[in-house]
Amino acid sequence: MKKLLYIDSSYTLSQIRDRSLDQVLASRFLDGYFDQIWSAHPVDSHPSLTQDIAPSGKPIEERLSPSHVFVRGRYGRYTWLVRVAPLNVLIGLISFVSTLVGIVRREQISVIRVGDPLFCGLIGLIVSKLTGAKLVVRVNGDHDLGRANSGAPINPKLFRSGKVEDKVERLVLKRADLVFVPSPPCGEFAERKGTKPDLIVTIRNGNIIDPRHLIPQADRDPLDDPEMEARLKERPWMVHIGRMSKIKIAEDCYKVLKELAAQDDDVGLLMIGDGPMRDDFLNWAAADGLSDRVWLMGNIDQGTLARVLPYCTLVLSPATGRSLAEAAFAALPIVAYDLEWQPEMIQTDVTGILVPVRDATEMAQGAERFLADPKLRKRLGEGARERAFDLLDPTKQIQREIDAYASLEALS
């Protein structure tokens, strides 16, 4: 029986349920390759993210199905220590690691998969060393480039500085048994941190895309919210899907809107997702008299996202991952920065418009081209959808991942 411990902090269990991210969990089984999965989130009860379980206490093992258990780590271990948060969080993490070590030993799990080389990577490395299980690390981006573009650490609350993050990345990636990357630039990042090239496997994000995004625009279910539909029809909307954060260069989307508004373009900016820059967007829009043109939709479920995208006119993609694929599958025209994996998806005048990194003026000019030319929008949107199927074919990605895990078994 093949068993896997999957440690990831991308989404809490509540977020997965609220946003109908079922495919994120289902994809971990690799079409039945794994018989049993233990998914684990280190701080699933973070007070700013989750309300359905108490922030402090022992980790919870919640059974999702006969073959899937979700281990919900707590933000702290003891309620009486809430006023000494750092100590309580540390004790909570020790309790979480201890729980995972017990599960790996009890269930004789041979492989641990982690979703990043920082927080989850450090936890996975500790559990791996204590149990002898193989460690597989997922690298989702070039963190060096992200820090350089944003001027901030990837996880500032936890690691405080880019130098500390660099040390953690090197510690984890040098010791991983395999490293999965979604694109060659991410593989180059892993090599710089000490991963041997023959341990790096390119596995793209195709198998975690919700199947509803693969449906052609014309065949998608209509919106069931008349007010939302009416507003989406008010004007052309440029959409950004992802976290509103510096690391995602989200502020450049507002710069694009501001430039186009100065040219009297009646276009709006739709931000799908949330993040620490939410108030910044609201304040900028109020100061510039653009509040009616900035729509912060927040986090929405996958079904709603698939239905909303066909109403949008174009996509702004400063630095996005899976959401770039979701936009491409919706056959939307995309203006993207020449950053990380985006050049693989976007080729100017074939599948979208690629512009220099941090050049919001060039991005605005690309958006203006799309706004002025419906035929160009249609042609490049269709090109993007075709490219997405070619690059991200879920069946191929699943087989590549199965082959990678099988190579670990051969070494055991």
Side-chain angles (χ1 to χ4, degrees):
M1 182 175 285
K2 294 183 175 65
K3 301 177 181 181
L4 176 71
L5 172 62
Y6 198 117
I7 308 171
D8 187 69
S9 60
S10 300
Y11 304 103
T12 66
L13 183 56
S14 289
Q15 288 174 325
I16 289 170
R17 286 168 169 162
D18 291 344
R19 303 182 202 174
S20 64
L21 293 166
D22 304 39
Q23 183 61 23
V24 169
L25 296 179
S27 66
R28 297 175 182 178
F29 285 90
L30 297 177
D31 279 355
Y33 178 78
F34 285 109
D35 301 292
Q36 296 280 338
I37 298 283
W38 280 261
S39 294
H41 191 302
V43 285
D44 189 73
S45 70
H46 195 291
S48 67
L49 299 174
T50 303
Q51 304 297 330
D52 65 336
I53 60 173
S56 298
K58 293 181 180 180
I60 297 172
E61 294 183 43
E62 184 167 331
R63 185 165 292 280
L64 307 182
S65 73
S67 57
H68 201 167
V69 175
F70 200 104
V71 184
R72 311 183 72 177
R74 305 292 192 111
Y75 184 63
R77 179 61 182 86
Y78 301 106
T79 304
W80 55 270
L81 260 182
V82 291
R83 294 190 178 183
V84 191
L87 178 60
N88 201 24
V89 170
L90 177 60
I91 296 173
L93 287 174
I94 293 172
S95 178
F96 178 73
V97 169
S98 177
T99 298
L100 296 188
V101 169
I103 290 171
V104 171
R105 288 174 175 168
R106 181 188 75 220
E107 301 295 336
Q108 298 183 318
I109 296 172
S110 59
V111 182
I112 300 168
R113 160 81 180 267
V114 299
D116 67 79
L118 285 168
F119 185 34
C120 292
L122 202 53
I123 292 171
L125 180 62
I126 294 170
V127 177
S128 171
K129 292 302 179 184
L130 291 175
T131 63
K134 300 289 187 182
L135 178 64
V136 178
V137 180
R138 176 74 174 185
V139 172
N140 288 308
D142 183 337
H143 289 177
D144 290 336
L145 189 59
R147 286 185 285 258
N149 285 326
S150 67
I154 304 299
N155 194 332
K157 290 184 179 179
L158 186 62
F159 294 105
R160 302 295 182 182
S161 76
K163 289 183 179 180
V164 174
E165 289 186 337
D166 176 72
K167 291 182 183 299
V168 173
E169 289 159 354
R170 291 180 184 278
L171 177 69
V172 172
L173 290 172
K174 280 182 180 179
R175 291 160 179 79
D177 294 288
L178 277 180
V179 174
F180 293 167
V181 299
S183 65
C186 294
E188 293 167 7
F189 165 81
E191 274 196 66
R192 291 199 303 273
K193 302 300 176 179
T195 307
K196 294 178 181 178
D198 59 338
L199 298 181
I200 299 171
V201 184
T202 300
I203 299 172
R204 302 184 186 278
N205 293 323
N207 65 321
I208 64 172
I209 301 297
D210 190 291
R212 286 169 287 191
H213 291 295
L214 306 183
I215 300 171
Q217 271 200 25
D219 297 333
R220 297 189 182 188
D221 293 336
L223 276 172
D224 53 10
D225 185 334
E227 291 185 10
M228 181 184 290
E229 183 176 16
R231 188 173 182 187
L232 285 166
K233 290 179 176 180
E234 281 179 359
R235 57 168 49 92
W237 290 97
M238 304 180 295
V239 62
H240 172 270
I241 316 163
R243 279 183 292 132
M244 299 168 64
S245 64
K246 287 186 176 181
I247 202 69
K248 292 296 185 180
I249 326 178
E251 67 268 26
D252 283 15
C253 295
Y254 183 78
K255 294 176 183 177
V256 170
L257 173 67
K258 191 172 179 179
E259 288 204 27
L260 294 178
Q263 301 170 26
D264 293 325
D265 277 314
D266 183 25
V267 64
L269 175 63
L270 173 59
M271 303 292 290
I272 297 178
D274 214 333
M277 299 189 74
R278 182 182 179 85
D279 288 343
D280 293 325
F281 274 81
L282 294 174
N283 293 334
W284 295 333
D288 295 326
L290 296 174
S291 294
D292 63 322
R293 298 215 221 164
V294 175
W295 186 358
L296 307 186
M297 192 173 283
N299 294 316
I300 58 177
D301 65 82
Q302 289 294 294
T304 302
L305 176 60
R307 295 194 296 270
V308 164
L309 288 178
Y311 289 88
C312 299
T313 304
L314 63 99
V315 175
L316 299 179
S317 181
T320 52
R322 186 186 68 196
S323 59
L324 179 62
E326 292 165 348
F329 281 121
L332 288 177
I334 301 164
V335 189
Y337 280 155
D338 187 356
L339 181 67
E340 292 189 343
W341 84 292
Q342 298 194 142
E344 294 184 86
M345 178 69 75
I346 305 302
Q347 182 181 351
T348 297
D349 290 336
V350 179
T351 61
I353 297 175
L354 202 65
V355 299
V357 179
R358 296 313 307 257
D359 194 334
T361 297
E362 283 280 346
M363 182 168 273
Q365 290 172 357
E368 175 61 32
R369 282 188 63 196
F370 282 139
L371 290 168
D373 192 339
K375 290 184 179 179
L376 181 68
R377 293 201 302 268
K378 186 176 189 318
R379 178 170 65 84
L380 299 196
E382 290 174 349
R385 180 173 168 85
E386 183 178 343
R387 177 59 175 161
F389 275 107
D390 180 56
L391 191 65
L392 303 171
D393 182 277
T395 302
K396 292 179 182 178
Q397 306 315 312
I398 289 171
Q399 190 57 54
R400 286 183 63 82
E401 194 163 346
I402 289 173
D403 291 344
Y405 282 119
S407 72
L408 281 181
E409 288 184 16
L411 294 174
S412 299

